[in-house]
Structures are given as structure tokens and as C-alpha cells.
């Protein structure tokens, strides 16, 4: 059973996550998080004694879990690694577009703003990216690629998605994400076909 304290902590992390996407990490104050989460004053330092940095780490970890869940969901239904990648990117395009381009990837936001300022936040962001690269690698290995090549390609895929999200928000168009979905799917299909043909 989830306690009231656990719910408050989760609500604070979710609010921090949303506010990072709309206002950036530096632009998100603790008072804004408390107001957005409708949480009692003082609750941040009760649940996050290390203040904003700890709350930022929790927000990054929440984003990590959400995207990992999306990857797992599409992997179950897509039928192929290329199909899973396309479905994941199209789902992100819908999120970005439906938010009127206010929402993107909070992990990239925190990395760009705080990666050189906070080693703890940098490590949390690195762990988030790794958590998305790993299951993508596993999908590619399952399609016949060798582990090293699969990890390299998975890293490219995740990097391309991150870049496409940023460009989509800047141009207020989901076209960069749709284009990335096409290119990523073609890239995976081509490499898997080459490996299959070489056998």
C-alpha cells in the first residue's frame, strides 16, 4: 500500500519533471514545484533533504522510467526492432505535438543546463540515457546483430531521437520526429537485412 508520504514525494517529482520541460531546470523554483504539486510547504525538504538537486534527480529518474516503459510497451506489440523504434518515436511526436511543443525530453534539458555544474545530475542523466540504450540494444541483438554493433546502433538511435525532439520543439513541428522515425526504421531494417543475408 502506498503511503501518503510516498504519494506526496511522487507528486513533487512529477511536478518537477513537468516544470523542467516547460521552464528549464534553472527556471524552476521550489515554490513553483510546491504550488504545481499542491503540496504542503516544507514537504520538499522533508522528502528531499538535499533540496532542488535531489528533486531534480528524482525527476530525471521518473523520466527514465516513463520512457523505458514506453520502449517496453512498443517492443511487445511492434513485431520488430524497426517497428518498435518507429512506434516509440511516433508516440513521442504525439506527446510533443499535443503539448503545443511545451513538452520534450527533460533529461536533455537537465544535461545541457546542469551537466557541467552538478556531477550528481550529470550521472542521473547518463543513467537515464543508458537505460534507454540498453533495451534498444537488446531488441537489436534479438534481431540478429552482434552485441557491440547493436549497442553502437542503439546509441545512434537514442541520440537521433533526442536531437529530433529538440528540433521539433524549436520549429514547432513534429516533422523532424516523423523524419527521424523513417530514417531510424530504414537504418535498422537495412542493417538487420545485411546481417541476415550474410548468414
Amino acid at each position: 500500500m502506498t503511503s501518503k508520504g510516498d504519494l506526496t514525494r511522487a507528486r513533487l517529482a512529477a511536478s518537477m519533471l513537468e516544470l523542467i520541460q516547460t521552464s528549464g531546470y534553472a527556471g524552476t523554483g521550489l515554490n513553483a514545484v510546491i504550488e504545481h504539486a499542491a503540496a504542503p510547504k516544507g514537504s520538499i525538504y522533508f522528502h528531499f533533504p538535499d533540496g532542488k538537486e535531489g528533486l531534480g534527480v528524482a525527476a530525471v529518474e521518473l523520466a527514465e522510467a516513463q520512457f523505458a516503459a514506453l520502449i517496453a510497451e512498443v517492443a511487445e506489440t511492434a513485431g520488430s526492432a524497426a517497428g518498435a523504434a518507429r512506434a516509440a518515436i511516433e508516440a513521442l511526436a504525439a506527446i510533443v505535438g499535443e503539448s503545443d511543443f511545451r513538452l520534450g525530453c527533460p533529461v536533455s534539458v537537465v544535461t545541457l543546463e546542469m551537466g557541467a555544474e552538478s556531477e550528481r545530475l550529470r550521472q542521473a542523466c547518463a543513467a537515464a540515457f543508458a537505460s534507454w540504450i540498453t533495451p534498444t540494444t537488446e531488441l537489436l541483438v534479438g534481431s540478429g546483430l552482434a552485441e557491440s554493433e547493436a549497442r553502437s546502433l542503439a546509441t545512434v538511435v537514442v541520440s537521433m531521437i533526442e536531437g529530433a525532439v529538440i528540433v521539433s520543439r524549436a520549429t514547432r513541428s513534429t516533422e523532424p520526429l516523423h523524419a527521424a522515425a523513417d530514417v531510424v526504421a530504414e537504418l535498422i531494417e537495412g542493417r538487420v537485412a545485411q546481417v541476415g543475408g550474410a548468414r
Side-chain angles (χ1 to χ4, degrees):
M1 182 176 177
T2 306
S3 70
K4 184 177 179 182
D6 288 339
L7 290 173
T8 299
R9 189 182 195 284
R11 203 161 69 246
L12 288 167
S15 289
M16 182 67 172
L17 176 60
E18 185 172 338
L19 291 171
I20 285 172
Q21 293 179 90
T22 58
S23 304
Y25 179 87
T28 298
L30 295 183
N31 288 335
V33 176
I34 291 170
E35 182 179 347
H36 187 277
K41 284 190 174 181
S43 57
I44 283 183
Y45 287 104
F46 177 79
H47 294 288
F48 301 97
D50 45 357
K52 185 175 178 179
E53 185 179 54
L55 185 56
V57 169
V60 168
E61 289 173 345
L62 178 58
E64 172 186 334
Q66 289 176 347
F67 192 56
L70 173 62
I71 295 173
E73 180 181 344
V74 297
E76 286 183 5
T77 58
S80 69
R86 180 186 291 280
I89 299 171
E90 294 294 351
L92 285 173
I95 291 168
V96 172
E98 289 167 8
S99 73
D100 194 28
F101 302 95
R102 292 171 65 249
L103 301 182
C105 178
V107 179
S108 62
V109 172
V110 174
T111 300
L112 292 171
E113 285 191 32
M114 299 302 298
E117 304 295 328
S118 166
E119 179 62 14
R120 187 178 174 200
L121 285 169
R122 186 201 64 76
Q123 289 180 358
C125 292
F129 288 128
S131 79
W132 305 336
I133 291 169
T134 297
T136 306
T137 300
E138 291 169 356
L139 278 174
L140 294 169
V141 169
S143 298
L145 272 63
E147 173 75 26
S148 60
E149 182 178 7
R151 180 160 292 278
S152 179
L153 183 53
T155 302
V156 169
V157 168
V158 171
S159 300
M160 190 178 295
I161 293 171
E162 288 296 313
V165 169
I166 293 170
V167 177
S168 286
R169 292 186 72 187
T171 59
R172 294 185 62 79
S173 168
T174 56
E175 181 54 34
L177 278 161
H178 296 310
D182 290 340
V183 171
V184 165
E186 289 171 8
L187 185 63
I188 293 173
E189 286 169 352
R191 192 59 201 122
V192 169
Q194 283 181 351
V195 171
R199 288 176 177 174

